């Protein structure tokens, strides 16, 4: 199915087995508090957000924006922050449409999900024609450039979108990005953490709702591997596009709970359900109940406001009709939120705060106050390099900083040999005095007590030179 560019989404919803959401049997642990009169207020009762996707043209429609402002407190740009919109020409970023959405959201007390940094689809033409190491470099430059520009403004990034194949293989999707090496997803997450260390980093996909399906299991195994090796992943997004051939599975809450048990937040990121009336409403209610049953399910985003704005407009899949009237599905959703559930306990990165505080209860508790830093003094530090993973064209390195006496902060210099080039970093903030020299500073507080350590890492594209970088440290 061909859709207009501004609604370019997936034209596929592969059928999965299972029952409608009405069949979900969920035990909710916490009784409802005072009923919220809007979706965002009702979700906040259990420390969750309720969000929507919006396009920049919504800003020209006062009726739509009244609904957005009243009902939602998490905003996702529908297409304006995808790769083709952000970097239409290599090295030339276009921030205008993304800025319109991000700035409106923050000025109105909303938070923002960034969608999406790396994807096989909606790439700019110049990137579609690339492959191999040059594409890997371009992808990492894009991730770093966009995440750095919006650093501190994004609650969660969809770092990688839709990287697994449909069907029963459980394999990665065949794409130009996959062709750069099986570690491309890991590399994207590490680059995103280095560029925007305060945001939550998510993997996002569709048809991962049924726990028994091969695609779901493949994503689960990747997340489990990432967590075991310290790859910076904080959340998994479940797009949740449902229709008559792809109903909500009866084990949906099991899927969310099993992913959450890996130590990540789970987010419902693009919810829409074909239908109308009470039947559609019951399915929305089931999705809400599933999220409310899992403490690490931190929020729900619907993929648009009015049915007529949806990429699936003929399916009438949203909570408001074309005139912005509340549908039965809205009432089912609001009632389910107000029925109460397990209080959400988000983990991972803190995420930024909006520039204007919302009037309703915040949807995410602030992080705990940091512990008192160690006393400052005239200590020194040492830097030790250790070798990480190696591939045909690149290798990872890790630098460990050790305090010799109490220090208030540290700076580390990493020098590579030509034609080597550092293409990704994580766990610290880099600057580049020259092409072969990188200076790393702590991304947050750098105080260390005597004997304490901190570490950061990077990826070197070696160009045939496998020589280890030289590293040094200075303390303050």
């Amino acid at each position: 199915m061909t859709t207009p560019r501004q609604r370019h989404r997936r034209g596929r919803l592969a059928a999965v087995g299972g029952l409608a959401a009405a069949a979900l049997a969920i035990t909710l642990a916490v009784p409802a508090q005072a009923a919220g009169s809007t979706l965002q207020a009702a979700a906040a009762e259990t420390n969750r957000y309720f969000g929507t996707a919006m396009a920049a043209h919504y800003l020209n429609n006062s009726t739509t924006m009244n609904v957005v402002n009243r009902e939602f407190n998490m905003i996702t740009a529908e297409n304006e922050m995808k790769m083709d919109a952000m970097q239409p020409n290599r090295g030339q970023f276009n921030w205008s449409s993304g800025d319109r959405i991000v700035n409106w959201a923050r000025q109105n007390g909303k938070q923002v999900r960034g969608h999406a940094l790396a994807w096989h689809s909606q790439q700019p033409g110049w990137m579609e024609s690339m492959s191999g190491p040059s594409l890997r470099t371009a992808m990492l430059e894009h991730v770093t450039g966009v995440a750095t520009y919006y650093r501190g403004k994004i609650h969660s990034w969809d770092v990688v979108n839709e990287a697994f194949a449909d069907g029963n293989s459980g394999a990665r999707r065949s794409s130009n990005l996959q062709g750069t090496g099986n570690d491309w997803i890991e590399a994207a997450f590490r680059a995103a953490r280095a560029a925007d260390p305060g945001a939550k980093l998510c993997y996002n996909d569709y048809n991962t709702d049924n726990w028994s399906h091969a695609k779901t299991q493949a994503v689960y195994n990747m997340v489990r591997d990432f967590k075991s090796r310290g790859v910076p992943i904080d959340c998994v997004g479940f797009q949740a596009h449902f229709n008559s051939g792809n109903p909500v599975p009866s084990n949906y809450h099991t899927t969310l709970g099993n992913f959450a048990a890996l130590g990540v937040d789970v987010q419902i990121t693009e919810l829409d359900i074909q239908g109308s009336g009470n039947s559609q409403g019951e399915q929305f209610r089931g999705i809400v109940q599933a999220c409310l049953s899992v403490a690490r399910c931190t929020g729900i985003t619907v993929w648009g406001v009015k049915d007529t704005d949806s990429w699936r407009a003929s399916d009438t899949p949203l909570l408001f009709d074309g005139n912005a009237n509340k549908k039965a599905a809205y009432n089912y959703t609001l009632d389910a939120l107000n029925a109460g559930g397990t209080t959400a306990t988000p983990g991972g990165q803190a995420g930024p705060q909006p520039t204007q505080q919302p009037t309703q209860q915040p949807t995410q508790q602030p992080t705990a106050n940091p512990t008192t830093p160690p006393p400052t003094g005239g200590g020194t530090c040492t830097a030790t390099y250790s070798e990480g993973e190696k591939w045909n064209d690149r290798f990872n390195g890790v630098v460990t900083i050790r305090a010799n006496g109490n220090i208030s902060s540290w700076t580390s210099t990493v020098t590579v040999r030509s034609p080597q080039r550092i293409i990704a970093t994580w766990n610290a903030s880099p600057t580049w005095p020259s092409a072969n020299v990188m200076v790393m500073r702590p991304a947050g507080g750098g105080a260390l007590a005597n004997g304490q350590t901190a570490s950061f890492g990077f990826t070197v594209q070696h160009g045939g030179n496998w020589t280890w970088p030289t590293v040094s440290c200075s303390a303050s």
Side-chain angles (χ1 to χ4, degrees), residues 61 246 283 337 340 374 447:
N61 187 314
N246 177 45
Q283 292 184 79
L337 291 168

Side-chain angles (χ1 to χ4, degrees), residues 70 102 133 136 199 209 234 256 299 301 336 358 388 442 450 453 467:
R70 181 186 73 229
V102 172
R136 172 67 68 92
D209 312 292
D234 306 308
L256 298 182
T301 294
N450 182 36
T453 63
T467 306

Side-chain angles (χ1 to χ4, degrees), residues 5 11 17 21 48 93 124 146 186 218 236 264 321 356 364 372 381 387 466-467:
R5 189 63 170 175
R48 290 173 170 85
F93 290 89
V146 175
E186 175 179 344
V236 176
V264 293
D321 67 19
Q356 174 182 322
Q364 178 172 316
T372 302
C381 61
E387 189 177 51
W466 289 90
T467 306

